């Protein structure tokens, strides 16, 4: 089979192209037909070489291509309306005819997407006849200067092969499985642009070309493990299902336990199968906890942390599934709670007592908040070497050594417990472990609230006064005292794909890690 | 069963644009009232990157014959067109209803599309995107100025938007969203509007389709068939594209399919739509650009 790959790089790092249906939104992923139209525009502007024309006609006859886009690209900013001076003649007296201040300013937007330095690719795995047209296409690509808006400058070329997931790229494929309601469908249009003849007519009439038929494109996640054989993954599926908060009070991440427990109870109640399956409840039908190594659903609180102005606010909750539960099974159990009768995202109300009522909905695919993107928490597909907790890791048992009197032994024992926890979570052994009450992520509160004895009390055990923020203790069922909880830094020898969850409270969101840029641990 | 039927593809009528879709419907509405083409059927076919209209009938369908038929059927004077009912609607309701028969009901259909005796005089159809004070004047101009060549360019050629816009447009095409910051001239008094920017023939045919979009009163306003939501950011119109030939009488049923109004359309409903031959659906939003309503470019939703 002869394949064909076209590549381009945004020279400014930004892609500027307006969504054809909404002036205020950028078009991302880039429309395959837009690439074809950029080639066609270059063809007309540079002398209409017949060989190039034939190559364009042949290119339009190929089926829908796959898109390979940088995994880190495509982040949008909130669209801002700006006021630009218009070209009208200024109104007023003759003396002020040329004064720019007399011209009005009118609103418009400049929708833009940050892509970065990495190139983007269109790939046809089977393109019969590609060899014959390759020289003409290469010649044409070399002359393309822009893709989309005239400020969206690009360099384009014919590449030898598409990139790989290991290199940090995500493959987008034309949608075929429309049954998968858990997927984030992103409607894009088919690579089926107007013919060159129609383009000539449109140009002669002073009109922009239109692009017609449409199909869906979605990131390839059906078999992610096959695509990342070189990477280590955890015991949870990296395809997180994200619920975003749409109503209710703003809650700090310290309230994570109340939220995740309430959400679990809601999903358990809504399950059409009663008692709910073990992968949802974590218990066998007789009420005994799962003991044969099978995984179950984990609830991840998603706080706004790790950025300069992060405040630790909870923006939503993610569900992490055991990877061996097929998607249709997940859908059959969760659908009644998450979608309404018409198949639209339903409002999930969580009654949190004094904290009020929190409302969650399935995250909209175009929600641009990084905290609500699964990749923020999984580092999919390229993985991450360094991870640090945003909620405290609860140790599986009490260390035997005394923390105050035998500090070195206590630290060694805690390190050993964390090694064991990593193994249990399906992670490789870390090369560096560090722990501390304070998180490595900006905005994440301390692992426990600081306390000091109340002044003026002389009792043998004076009452403690809390000061500063911190997570409430996680009390394991049946335990009389909470186990130690700490923030943890992990560094692995090779990239790891998350979600990374460690410790006793990992199914309720304690011990949740977020990727960290490589750096030295504190100690 | 289809022996002896002739087909004709109309490359100009693009079903992905609101005006193109309405023009196709208007054409069918005109043809079905003519004796020789009373069995007219409409389907959509892919052509050059879009969905274009395709007609089928037992009559001879060719460019010349179609234009001749339209010449005969399309009236020039407001007094001869149901659009005259824009004036003094309320008084006319009873008399028009009484005058309507099973075979002669254009006026009563049109009346139901432009108003209701239960709604206020201020309420307009959601399909009306011209300002109320210009609307009837524009219709009069469209009726008067449309010539055979306007219709020929509309039906058989890719649209060139070479007709003047000023005072002769129903403002149904998304390209008429001419915001100030995106164009050279100030929208009011733009000299280009007097020269180009519109498709007069398409507006003339779209006028004939309005009768297929009845309205009904909801909370003091008028709701229109095919639309969902109210308000400047929430009003949307969704229409289907179908590939099997459908007789004219069946088209209103397709326009009224309830699942088309869902957002998003559930997979089970999509499957049912596919079984009915509805292969695509397009949706526009009715936005307000300053004081003038406008349709956004259509987005495919099925």
């Amino acid at each position: 089979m002869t394949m064909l790959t076209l590549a381009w790089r945004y020279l400014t790092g930004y892609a500027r192209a307006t969504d054809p249906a909404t002036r205020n939104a950028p078009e991302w992923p880039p429309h395959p037909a837009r690439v074809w139209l950029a080639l066609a525009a270059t063809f007309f502007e540079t002398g209409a070489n017949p060989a190039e024309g034939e190559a364009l006609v042949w290119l339009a006859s190929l089926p829908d291509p796959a898109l390979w886009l940088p995994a880190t690209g495509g982040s949008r900013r909130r669209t801002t309306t700006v006021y630009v001076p218009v070209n009208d003649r200024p109104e007023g007296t003759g003396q002020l005819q040329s004064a720019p201040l007399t011209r009005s300013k009118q609103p418009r937007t400049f929708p833009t997407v940050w892509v970065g330095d990495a190139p983007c690719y269109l790939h046809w795995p089977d393109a019969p006849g590609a060899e014959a047209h390759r020289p003409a296409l290469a010649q044409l690509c070399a002359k393309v200067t822009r893709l989309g808006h005239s400020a969206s400058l690009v360099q384009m070329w014919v590449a030898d092969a598409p990139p790989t997931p290991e290199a940090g790229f995500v493959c987008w494929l034309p949608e075929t499985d429309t049954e998968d309601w858990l997927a984030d469908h992103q409607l894009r249009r088919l690579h089926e642009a107007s013919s060159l003849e129609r383009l000539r007519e449109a140009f002669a009439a002073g009109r922009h070309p239109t692009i017609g038929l449409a199909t869906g494109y979605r990131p390839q996640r059906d078999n992610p493990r096959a695509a990342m054989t070189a990477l280590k993954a955890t015991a949870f599926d990296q395809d997180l299902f994200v619920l975003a908060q749409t109503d209710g009070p703003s809650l700090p991440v310290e309230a994570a336990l109340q939220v995740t427990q309430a959400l679990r109870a809601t999903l358990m109640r809504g399950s059409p199968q009663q008692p709910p399956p073990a992968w949802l409840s974590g218990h066998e039908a007789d009420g005994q906890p799962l003991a044969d190594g099978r995984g179950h659903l984990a609830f991840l609180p998603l706080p706004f942390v790790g950025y300069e102005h992060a405040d630790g606010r909870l923006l939503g909750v993610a569900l992490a599934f055991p990877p061996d539960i097929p998607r249709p099974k997940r859908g059959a159990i969760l659908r009644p709670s998450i979608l309404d009768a018409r198949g639209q995202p339903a409002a999930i109300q969580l009654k949190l007592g004094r904290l009020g009522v929190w409302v969650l909905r399935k995250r909209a695919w175009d929600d641009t908040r990084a905290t609500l993107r699964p990749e923020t928490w999984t580092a999919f597909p390229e993985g991450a070497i360094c991870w640090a907790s945003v909620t405290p890791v609860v140790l599986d048992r009490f260390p035997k050594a005394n923390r105050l009197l035998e500090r070195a032994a206590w630290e060694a024992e805690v390190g050993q417990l964390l090694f064991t926890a990593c193994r249990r979570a399906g992670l490789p052994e870390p090369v560096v472990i560090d722990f501390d009450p304070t998180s490595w992520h900006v905005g994440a509160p301390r692992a426990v609230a600081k306390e000091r004895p109340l002044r003026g009390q002389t009792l043998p055990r004076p009452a403690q006064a809390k000061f500063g923020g911190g997570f409430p203790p996680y009390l394991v069922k049946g335990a009389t005292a909470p186990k130690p909880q700490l923030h943890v830094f992990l560094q692995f020898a090779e990239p790891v794909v998350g979600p990374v969850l460690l410790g006793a409270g990992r199914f309720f969101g304690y011990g949740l890690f977020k990727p960290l840029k490589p750096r030295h641990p504190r100690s | 069963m289809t022996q002896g039927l002739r087909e004709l593809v109309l490359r100009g009528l693009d079903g992905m644009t609101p005006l193109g879709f309405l023009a196709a419907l208007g054409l069918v509405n005109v043809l079905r009232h003519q004796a020789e083409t009373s069995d007219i059927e409409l389907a959509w076919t892919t052509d050059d990157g879009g969905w274009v209209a395709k007609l089928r009938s037992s009559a001879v369908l060719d460019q010349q014959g179609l234009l001749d038929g339209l010449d005969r059927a399309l009236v020039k004077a407001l007094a001869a067109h149901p659009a005259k009912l824009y004036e003094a609607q309320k008084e006319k309701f009873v008399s028009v209803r009484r005058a309507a028969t099973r075979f002669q009901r254009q006026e009563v259909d049109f009346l139901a599309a432009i108003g209701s005796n239960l709604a206020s005089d201020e309420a307009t159809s959601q399909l009306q995107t011209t300002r109320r004070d210009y609307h009837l004047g524009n219709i009069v101009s469209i009726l008067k100025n449309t010539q055979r060549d306007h219709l020929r360019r509309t039906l058989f050629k890719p649209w060139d938007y070479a007709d003047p816009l000023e005072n002769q447009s129903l403002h149904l095409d998304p390209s008429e969203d001419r915001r100030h910051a995106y164009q050279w001239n100030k929208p009011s008094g733009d000299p280009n509007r007097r020269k180009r920017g519109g498709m007069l023939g398409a507006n003339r045919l779209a006028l004939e389709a309005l009768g297929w979009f009845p309205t009904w009163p909801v909370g003091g306003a008028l709701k229109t068939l095919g639309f969902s939501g109210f308000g400047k950011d929430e009003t949307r119109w969704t229409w289907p594209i179908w590939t099997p030939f459908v007789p004219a009488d069946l088209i209103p049923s397709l326009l009224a399919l309830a699942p088309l109004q869902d957002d998003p359309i559930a997979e089970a409903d999509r499957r049912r739509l596919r079984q009915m031959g509805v292969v695509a659906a397009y949706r526009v939003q009715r936005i307000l650009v300053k004081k003038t309503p406008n349709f956004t470019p259509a987005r495919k939703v099925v």
Side-chain angles (χ1 to χ4, degrees):
Chain A
M1 283 198 298
T2 315
M3 65 178 184
L4 175 71
T5 309
L6 300 183
W8 68 94
R9 178 183 286 115
Y10 291 96
L11 297 179
T12 61
Y14 287 99
R16 281 184 55 183
T18 305
D19 187 320
T22 317
R23 279 183 195 251
N24 300 336
E27 181 186 78
W28 190 263
H31 192 319
R34 192 182 282 278
V35 179
W36 189 87
L37 286 171
L39 288 165
T42 308
F43 163 75
F44 286 119
E45 287 165 0
T46 59
N49 179 311
E52 293 173 1
E54 284 171 26
L56 278 176
V57 172
W58 166 79
L59 195 61
S61 71
L62 295 179
D64 295 331
L67 273 162
W68 283 88
L69 303 172
T72 51
S75 62
R76 310 165 184 213
R77 295 181 300 179
R78 195 181 296 274
T79 306
T80 309
T81 301
V82 294
Y83 289 80
V84 296
V86 290
N87 301 309
D88 308 327
R89 275 191 175 179
E91 292 168 359
T93 64
Q95 284 87 346
L96 292 174
Q97 283 278 313
S98 60
L101 286 176
T102 61
R103 290 188 292 174
S104 72
K105 288 186 175 178
Q106 295 295 327
R108 69 164 294 175
T109 54
F110 295 93
T112 304
V113 165
W114 167 250
V115 185
D117 294 334
C120 305
Y121 298 85
L122 282 189
H123 176 65
W124 289 266
D126 184 20
E131 284 313 314
H133 295 292
R134 192 178 293 270
L137 274 178
Q139 184 178 304
L140 193 56
C141 286
K143 295 186 284 186
V144 174
T145 54
R146 68 183 175 97
L147 187 56
H149 192 275
S150 56
S152 193
L153 302 173
V154 294
Q155 173 198 13
M156 191 181 277
W157 66 97
V158 178
D160 295 329
T164 59
E166 293 78 12
F169 287 85
V170 177
C171 180
W172 290 65
L173 293 174
E175 184 58 80
T176 50
D177 181 13
T178 51
E179 300 283 341
D180 187 357
W181 65 272
L182 286 172
D184 287 334
H185 290 278
Q186 308 201 17
L187 280 182
R188 308 305 330 155
R189 283 164 184 77
L190 197 69
H191 172 65
E192 183 148 353
S194 308
S195 65
L196 289 179
E197 195 50 45
R198 184 69 70 94
L199 286 180
R200 272 198 195 95
E201 288 172 0
F203 182 74
R207 288 189 293 113
H208 287 291
T210 54
I211 298 160
L213 309 176
T215 190
Y217 265 84
R218 55 168 287 186
Q220 185 184 35
R221 284 193 187 134
D222 296 336
N223 190 7
R225 285 175 188 279
M228 38 170 265
T229 46
L231 297 175
K232 298 287 179 194
T234 64
F236 294 101
D237 193 340
Q238 62 273 20
D239 197 2
L240 302 180
F241 185 76
V242 177
L243 300 164
Q245 186 209 355
T246 55
D247 203 358
S250 180
L251 295 179
V253 65
E254 291 99 315
L257 272 183
Q258 282 108 305
V259 170
T260 54
Q261 284 170 345
L263 179 58
R264 178 178 177 272
T266 304
L267 295 185
M268 296 268 283
R269 275 198 305 275
S271 167
Q273 180 186 327
Q274 292 294 343
W279 65 262
L280 170 57
S281 65
H283 293 82
E284 300 287 8
D286 59 3
Q288 292 300 311
L290 285 179
D292 55 359
R294 279 180 292 154
H296 63 91
L297 192 65
F299 298 84
L300 283 58
L302 303 181
F304 177 41
V305 295
Y307 302 97
E308 191 184 356
H309 302 292
D311 57 5
R313 219 167 4 116
L314 272 179
L315 299 183
V317 183
L319 308 182
F321 297 88
D324 54 338
I325 305 298
R327 294 172 73 94
K329 239 182 199 178
R330 302 175 194 179
I333 297 297
L334 299 183
R335 186 185 173 108
S337 308
I338 289 172
L339 299 186
D340 63 17
R342 294 185 304 163
Q344 298 180 39
I348 305 170
Q349 289 201 338
L350 305 182
K351 290 179 182 163
L352 303 173
R354 283 190 303 171
L355 294 180
V357 178
W358 230 50
V359 181
L360 293 165
R361 263 179 219 275
K362 183 187 172 199
R363 167 188 176 260
W365 69 267
D366 56 351
D367 193 324
T368 57
R369 290 174 291 179
T371 300
L372 295 178
R373 291 171 64 171
E375 299 79 22
T376 302
W377 301 94
T378 60
F380 180 83
E382 69 271 28
I385 287 181
C386 297
W387 295 77
S389 61
V390 295
T391 55
V393 177
V394 183
L395 298 182
D396 289 319
R397 65 171 176 79
F398 287 98
K400 291 190 172 62
N402 186 306
R403 184 172 65 91
L404 299 174
L405 303 176
E406 307 160 285
R407 183 74 185 185
W410 183 85
E411 285 186 356
E413 204 177 342
V414 170
Q416 195 54 49
L417 286 173
L418 292 172
F419 264 112
T420 312
C422 286
R423 206 174 304 128
R424 191 173 294 147
L427 289 165
E429 284 197 349
V431 291
V432 177
I433 289 185
D434 196 2
F435 42 87
D436 196 277
T438 304
S439 174
W440 275 257
H441 287 289
V442 175
R446 282 170 55 85
V448 283
K450 258 186 179 174
E451 292 181 338
R452 63 167 173 76
L454 269 179
R455 287 200 186 99
Q457 293 206 14
T458 53
L459 299 169
R461 293 190 66 182
Q464 300 288 310
K466 288 183 179 173
F467 62 100
F471 282 91
Y474 179 80
L475 205 59
V476 181
K477 202 174 179 182
T480 51
K483 297 198 171 80
Q485 50 193 51
L486 295 157
H487 277 298
V488 176
F489 170 92
L490 299 173
Q491 186 172 331
F492 298 96
E494 52 195 326
V496 165
V497 169
V500 174
L501 290 155
L502 283 191
R506 63 187 181 281
F507 293 103
F508 286 103
Y510 267 33
L512 170 64
F513 284 67
K514 191 178 176 205
L516 202 63
K517 282 183 183 162
R519 66 169 78 162
H520 294 292
R522 289 205 192 101
S523 55
Chain B
M1 198 172 167
T2 57
Q3 276 182 352
L5 296 180
R6 273 80 160 195
E7 295 180 7
L8 181 65
V9 175
L10 304 166
R11 290 188 63 209
L13 297 183
D14 182 352
M16 297 180 320
T17 68
L19 185 57
F21 181 77
L22 285 173
L25 259 51
L27 175 66
V28 171
N29 208 7
V30 171
L31 293 178
R32 73 169 172 151
H33 289 113
Q34 296 186 326
E36 59 272 30
T37 51
S38 58
D39 61 346
I40 195 77
E41 294 174 336
L42 174 67
W44 299 91
T45 183
T46 53
D47 174 77
D48 216 5
W51 290 104
V52 296
K54 189 165 65 164
L55 298 179
R56 186 169 78 175
S57 169
S58 56
V60 176
L61 281 177
D62 60 13
Q63 184 170 333
Q64 204 65 21
L66 200 62
L67 291 173
D68 288 344
L70 289 175
D71 272 346
R72 285 193 300 275
L74 296 180
V75 297
K76 297 266 182 200
L78 181 67
H81 193 273
K84 66 186 177 213
L85 296 168
Y86 275 109
E87 294 170 328
Q89 287 173 25
K90 286 213 166 160
E91 296 75 44
K92 294 264 181 182
F93 262 97
V94 176
S95 58
V96 169
R97 196 184 64 205
R98 282 184 183 152
T101 68
R102 189 177 155 205
F103 303 103
Q104 198 59 255
R105 48 172 296 162
Q106 288 100 312
E107 283 202 350
V108 77
D109 284 346
F110 201 89
L111 197 58
I114 63 173
S116 164
N117 54 348
L118 300 175
S120 78
D121 289 341
E122 303 295 304
T124 57
S125 162
Q126 290 173 301
L127 202 51
Q128 181 179 325
T129 44
T130 39
R131 279 171 50 174
R132 195 180 297 110
D133 43 346
Y134 299 147
H135 189 60
L136 191 56
N138 284 11
I139 289 177
V140 171
S141 303
I142 292 167
L143 292 173
K144 193 174 107 191
N145 297 340
T146 306
Q147 305 296 329
R148 186 185 177 96
D149 190 53
H150 295 126
L151 296 167
R152 184 188 59 78
R153 281 176 28 240
T154 293
L155 296 175
F156 302 109
K157 301 289 284 179
W159 288 6
D160 54 11
Y161 292 89
D163 302 324
L165 263 178
E166 195 159 72
N167 299 335
Q168 55 173 20
S169 166
L170 295 176
H171 206 71
L172 291 166
D173 200 278
S175 67
E176 293 183 50
D177 174 1
R178 299 161 73 82
R179 290 180 216 185
H180 200 168
Y182 292 86
Q183 58 178 20
W184 189 264
N185 291 303
K186 198 174 183 176
S188 59
D190 178 2
N192 289 336
R193 288 175 62 81
R194 294 186 194 134
K195 297 175 194 157
R196 57 181 298 114
M199 288 298 294
L200 187 55
N203 280 280
R204 179 66 188 86
L205 292 173
L207 203 51
E208 301 302 320
L210 297 188
W212 268 340
F213 292 87
T215 59
W216 58 96
V218 175
L222 282 180
K223 187 104 178 158
T224 305
L225 184 83
F227 282 75
S228 59
F230 278 113
K232 71 182 179 75
D233 293 323
E234 288 159 15
T235 310
R236 298 164 311 169
W237 173 33
T238 311
W239 66 90
I241 296 290
W242 57 91
T243 49
F245 278 105
V246 163
D249 289 340
L250 202 59
I251 291 175
S253 306
L254 289 171
L255 302 176
L257 287 169
L260 292 176
Q261 303 307 328
D262 290 345
D263 185 21
I265 297 172
E267 181 46 36
D269 290 330
R270 291 179 191 210
R271 222 174 5 239
R272 273 196 289 278
L273 289 171
R274 276 198 295 272
Q275 286 163 358
M276 284 189 260
V278 174
V279 291
Y282 287 87
R283 178 172 291 161
V284 291
Q285 209 180 331
R286 189 180 189 267
I287 54 171
L288 208 55
V289 179
K290 293 208 170 162
K291 288 180 185 172
T292 311
N294 228 115
F295 286 134
T296 60
R299 180 186 287 275
K300 191 185 176 199
V301 290
V302 172

